[in-house]
Amino acid sequence: MKTKDIVYIALFAALTAVLGLFPPITLPITGVPVTAQSLGPMLAGAILGARRGGLSIVLFLVLVALGLPLLSGGRGGFGVMVGVTGGFIFGWAISAFVIGLLIEKFWNRLNVVNAAVSIAFGGIVVLYAIGNAWVAVAADISYWQATVGAAPFLIGDAIKVAIATAACLAVRRSYPLISKSA
Ligand SMILES: O=C(O)CCCC[C@@H]1SC[C@@H]2NC(=O)N[C@@H]21
């Protein structure tokens, strides 16, 4: 891994931390907040690709686990990570990795549709599958109830997909950071 890669990984970990400055809006049913922070894994995977994008979120998670108050609302520590939102928090790394894999796969023919579908698949379908399963266990509710409880996130997450898609395509045009040819 080159120095440049390490810088990009650190940069996207920092960006994810900065997104945590937006205050969370906690929803009543499950206690999982609406947060701007889930945009971080979308951007990391879509702009850096699977390996570096995933690692940037792993770095962010290590810092949170060490107790840095980098989650929205100034939260941090391993205790928070194994709370009700733990599936979403750990799922962010998987989400960034999956998005990166798909973006790399479509790289040579990337367009607004396959980029948005890739980001939505990793950032919503995969992330919610992990996050809702965790919520169901932690909050002792059914998977269906957890899924219904997550429905209000879809509006904000659709906006995040649009932002990450625009950013991914703009960076690809002007300063591509993925050189994969699939
Ligand atoms: O800060 C935390 O404890 C993690 C919050 C996880 C929130 C999830 S991420 C996907 C979905 N979209 C949101 O805006 N909130 C949830």
Side-chain angles (χ1 to χ4, degrees):
M1 189 177 292
K2 296 183 191 142
T3 309
K4 218 169 157 183
D5 294 324
I6 296 169
V7 170
Y8 290 139
I9 288 166
L11 194 67
F12 277 77
L15 175 67
T16 305
V18 168
L19 287 165
L21 294 174
F22 288 93
I25 304 166
T26 303
L27 298 183
I29 306 172
T30 57
V32 179
V34 174
T35 171
Q37 211 150 28
S38 53
L39 177 58
M42 291 186 190
L43 290 170
I47 292 175
L48 294 185
R51 191 159 152 268
R52 292 174 303 175
L55 281 175
S56 71
I57 303 304
V58 169
L59 172 60
F60 170 78
L61 297 185
V62 168
L63 298 176
V64 172
L66 289 174
L68 271 70
L70 302 178
L71 290 171
S72 61
R75 293 163 303 127
F78 194 68
V80 176
M81 296 175 79
V82 293
V84 76
T85 60
F88 286 106
I89 296 174
F90 288 108
W92 283 340
I94 297 165
S95 167
F97 185 79
V98 170
I99 291 169
L101 277 184
L102 292 170
I103 294 291
E104 286 170 11
K105 180 176 159 47
F106 288 118
W107 188 247
N108 289 337
R109 53 198 164 99
L110 197 69
N111 58 41
V112 68
V113 176
N114 57 33
V117 169
S118 301
I119 296 168
F121 181 77
I124 296 180
V125 179
V126 172
L127 181 62
Y128 283 36
I130 302 166
N132 290 338
W134 188 300
V135 168
V137 174
D140 197 19
I141 56 176
S142 70
Y143 188 75
W144 172 246
Q145 284 172 309
T147 304
V148 170
F153 299 134
L154 282 171
I155 303 165
D157 286 346
I159 295 170
K160 291 170 209 161
V161 169
I163 294 170
T165 301
C168 165
L169 293 174
V171 173
R172 182 179 182 273
R173 259 194 314 272
S174 56
Y175 191 77
L177 298 176
I178 297 174
S179 55
K180 199 110 183 156
S181 53

